[in-house]
Amino acid sequence: MAGAPAMELSSLRPLSNLSPHSCFAAAGSSLFATRGSAPAVSRTGCRFRAPRAAGAGHRGLALERRRRQFWVDERESGAEEGRGEPSSYSADDDDDDDDDDDDEAPLLSLSEKPDRSVALLDDYEMEELDYASNPDHRSGYVAVLGKPNVGKSTIANQMIGQKLSIVTDKPQTTRHRILGICSGPEYQMILYDTPGVIEKKMHKLDSMMMSNVRSAAINADCIDEVLEEGIRDLKNKVPTLLVMNKKDLIKPGEIAKKLQWYEKFTDVDDVIPVSAKYGHGVEDVKDWILSKLPLGPAYYPKDIVSEHPERFFVAEIVREKIFMQYRNEVPYASQVNVVSYKTRPNAKDFIQVEIVVEKNSQKIIMIGKQGRALKLLATAARLDIEDFLQKKVYLEIEVKVKENWRQDEGLLKYYGYGGQIRAL
Ligand SMILES: Nc1nc2c(ncn2[C@@H]2O[C@H](COP(=O)(O)OP(=O)(O)OP(=O)(O)O)[C@@H](O)[C@H]2O)c(=O)[nH]1
């Protein structure tokens, strides 16, 4: 069937006694709305946590300790940096000198689901957030799976209420699993937005991305019919929702027919039509997930929206701008690395980014005549990064060529496609 874009949302263990709706203030979600205890956000803005309240220092340390358990320090696995002839552009209003250096950041694992016993809040946090007195609290992992461009990132962002995953009109924008945490007073759902499932793998990059998708599916005990063998036996154990997205593009009379078709010819538990871009139906999806989430305490403090470090999002923002500005092969041949991120007490943060492309011809396109294209890119990226970080930054971008990086397993691992990214 020439179906509407569809994706599957699967969550951990089913549970029958539900308390839907109780946790959501909003009926009919609005775009990027802020929630209860969540910190202020802007269009692309996400705070990893709300500004700490007085006395919350312990909690910060506890979180730090817990995070470190997910970090894998294996810098030796990184490929050597080929230093070509860089072309760079610095996007800044004025100039600053740098001081502190944090380049010794360890790696953060993206492929492992934190074990509940590891990720659990410590006693101080339990007491502070009063979890012990709330036996009805629900929490669990949800994998967002589906083909490229169906709107997985859009719906994940909508549910979290903040733009964590980049969204473009080009397929296969999402390359990593993006973990987003959506919390309410009585629940916490941890969403894994995954790259679109592709069957035809052109590069090693595609294979490594798909292996991370499979791992997200396994971690959430769920299955997508387009995924390969090895996880099929998990079916039946996990509630699966098929989200029929972009219903705004379907004629009203067709929606009912498509729903019937999906219900009849797929194994999913439910089908919900939504229009993620406009927020329609997103609350229904949230309610469905809530109805399936197991009872249990939160995995993370409620004001945390992601485990990813800031530099991960900085690279993603630059990548989004590349997808928006350049055509054809160039965005797909580009890898963005934050090579240095320096916070300075009396000056703007200093961020050095390298864009790696595969051919010199791509580098020429990326830079443009008299560097105009790169300047445009750097300025657009800087503005969004500042919006995201809620502070001014000095951004320097270099373009380098590394032939066939998409086929180089060592480099791909170094760039985070082996399931690890550098922590800040
Ligand atoms: N008309 C319409 N467009 C939508 C809707 N949801 C998402 N889109 C658009 O579809 C495109 C792809 O959205 P994404 O959220 O990036 O899709 P994705 O599934 O994460 O894409 P991949 O990165 O390829 O896996 C973007 O241009 C979105 O604006 C919707 O409900 N209606």
Side-chain angles (χ1 to χ4, degrees), residues 292-340:
K292 311 293 181 197
L293 278 185
L295 288 170
Y299 284 78
Y300 299 92
K302 291 291 179 85
D303 55 352
I304 298 278
V305 294
S306 184
E307 264 274 319
H308 299 320
E310 285 179 346
R311 63 198 300 160
F312 175 82
F313 291 106
V314 165
E316 287 292 281
I317 290 170
V318 175
R319 223 160 54 73
E320 180 182 65
K321 301 302 165 216
I322 295 172
F323 268 85
M324 288 164 91
Q325 189 174 320
Y326 300 93
R327 290 161 186 272
N328 304 329
E329 180 64 12
V330 173
Y332 296 100
S334 303
Q335 163 65 24
V336 178
N337 303 317
V338 176
V339 289
S340 173

Side-chain angles (χ1 to χ4, degrees), residues 68-327:
R68 280 180 195 286
Q69 296 185 53
F70 307 135
W71 294 354
V72 182
D73 200 353
E74 55 163 48
R75 295 175 69 84
E76 66 274 14
S77 72
E80 73 290 347
E81 291 277 308
R83 298 277 161 197
E85 218 36 68
S87 298
S88 68
Y89 180 77
S90 304
D92 189 25
D93 295 333
D94 49 67
D95 221 352
D96 288 306
D97 288 335
D98 46 307
D99 36 49
D100 310 338
D101 197 340
D102 63 4
D103 281 350
E104 290 308 304
L107 295 175
L108 169 69
S109 171
L110 289 184
S111 57
E112 297 300 317
K113 181 177 91 176
D115 182 78
R116 207 184 257 279
S117 61
V118 175
L120 263 181
L121 306 170
D122 66 13
D123 290 348
Y124 180 87
E125 290 166 328
M126 293 285 279
E127 194 185 328
E128 186 190 24
L129 297 173
D130 199 23
Y131 290 135
S133 67
N134 189 358
D136 295 331
H137 192 276
R138 293 170 187 279
S139 63
Y141 280 75
V142 181
V144 186
L145 307 169
K147 295 197 170 176
N149 219 31
V150 294
K152 298 178 296 301
S153 299
T154 307
I155 199 166
N157 288 339
Q158 283 276 20
M159 285 176 34
I160 294 157
Q162 303 185 11
K163 185 173 171 185
L164 287 186
S165 298
I166 60 174
V167 171
T168 79
D169 57 1
K170 297 187 177 64
Q172 284 177 260
T173 312
T174 308
R175 284 188 184 159
H176 293 279
R177 274 165 53 189
I178 313 281
L179 181 152
I181 303 161
C182 173
S183 302
E186 294 175 349
Y187 69 91
Q188 183 166 79
M189 50 180 88
I190 298 154
L191 294 170
Y192 276 122
D193 182 17
T194 62
V197 173
I198 44 174
E199 279 143 285
K200 203 167 144 196
K201 300 176 189 86
M202 308 284 287
H203 301 94
K204 208 164 219 80
L205 169 66
D206 301 325
S207 308
M208 285 173 88
M209 273 169 22
M210 287 311 101
S211 131
N212 283 337
V213 172
R214 256 192 307 282
S215 128
I218 289 166
N219 280 338
D221 296 330
C222 69
I223 187 162
D224 183 309
E225 61 203 28
V226 288
L227 293 178
E228 287 162 24
E229 68 285 348
I231 49 175
R232 288 199 179 277
D233 54 345
L234 292 174
K235 215 156 181 149
N236 300 335
K237 286 188 196 161
V238 177
T240 306
L241 172 68
L242 191 137
V243 178
M244 198 173 90
N245 191 28
K246 305 194 186 181
K247 73 169 180 185
D248 52 293
L249 300 179
I250 309 170
K251 285 186 198 143
E254 291 290 305
I255 295 177
K257 277 190 213 159
K258 284 180 189 296
L259 277 177
Q260 271 176 3
W261 189 92
Y262 282 124
E263 276 160 6
K264 201 165 169 188
F265 295 109
T266 65
D267 285 339
V268 297
D269 297 313
D270 286 297
V271 184
I272 298 181
V274 308
S275 183
K277 188 172 178 178
Y278 303 104
H280 301 151
V282 174
E283 286 302 305
D284 296 336
V285 174
K286 254 186 174 180
D287 288 344
W288 183 90
I289 294 170
L290 266 180
S291 75
K292 311 293 181 197
L293 278 185
L295 288 170
Y299 284 78
Y300 299 92
K302 291 291 179 85
D303 55 352
I304 298 278
V305 294
S306 184
E307 264 274 319
H308 299 320
E310 285 179 346
R311 63 198 300 160
F312 175 82
F313 291 106
V314 165
E316 287 292 281
I317 290 170
V318 175
R319 223 160 54 73
E320 180 182 65
K321 301 302 165 216
I322 295 172
F323 268 85
M324 288 164 91
Q325 189 174 320
Y326 300 93
R327 290 161 186 272

